[in-house]
Amino acid sequence: VQLQASGGGLVQAGGSLRLSCAASARTFSSHIMAWFRQAPGKEREFVGLIRWGTQSTKYADSVKGRFTISKDGVANTVYLQMNSLKSEDTARYYCARGSSFSTVFRDYNTWGQGTQVTVSS
């Protein structure tokens, strides 16, 4: 399976962006779709995840209340709606697929190429 992320760009602080991640093959109910981000010189950081079947979600404390993950089962796509963006949200955002309800990037075995989000202050 391939994951294709899109939707990144340059936005002012306080603005919004919606990222998309389309999977080339069917995503099953047991799969976990997650978003991570990585800023230059920093480790890859968990952002949020969704269990495909139940739509249970989990978010990093740093984005809770501002970011929302959702899915479109027909389009086999997961979304990351990002509101009230801050300069510290600037990073390359990656989507990933795994089978564990995990915030650890090593638990995910399929990754997209990432999309850059830059928030200007």
Side-chain angles (χ1 to χ4, degrees):
V1 62
Q2 292 183 330
L3 302 179
Q4 181 69 42
S6 61
L10 174 64
V11 63
Q12 288 189 332
S16 299
L17 279 176
R18 189 177 80 155
L19 307 184
S20 301
C21 175
S24 62
R26 181 183 171 187
T27 302
F28 293 91
S29 60
S30 60
H31 280 134
I32 307 298
M33 295 296 294
W35 289 95
F36 289 79
R37 65 187 182 187
Q38 189 166 19
K42 294 188 176 181
E43 288 192 351
R44 194 162 295 193
E45 175 189 27
F46 169 75
V47 175
L49 62 78
I50 185 168
R51 186 185 295 276
W52 201 253
T54 63
Q55 300 190 59
S56 298
T57 56
K58 184 178 180 69
Y59 297 94
D61 287 343
S62 59
V63 307
K64 204 172 292 183
R66 300 189 297 124
F67 291 11
T68 303
I69 294 179
S70 61
K71 70 161 200 180
D72 181 334
V74 174
N76 222 21
T77 298
V78 63
Y79 303 99
L80 181 66
Q81 177 67 45
M82 305 185 295
N83 299 327
S84 302
L85 282 161
K86 307 175 181 180
S87 57
E88 51 263 44
D89 295 318
T90 294
R92 190 163 186 86
Y93 283 69
Y94 297 88
C95 58
R97 194 174 84 171
S99 55
S100 300
F101 203 79
S102 172
T103 64
V104 178
F105 73 86
R106 293 180 184 85
D107 289 336
Y108 292 82
N109 52 20
T110 304
W111 290 84
Q113 85 288 3
T115 185
Q116 179 67 35
V117 172
T118 303
V119 183
S120 62
S121 56

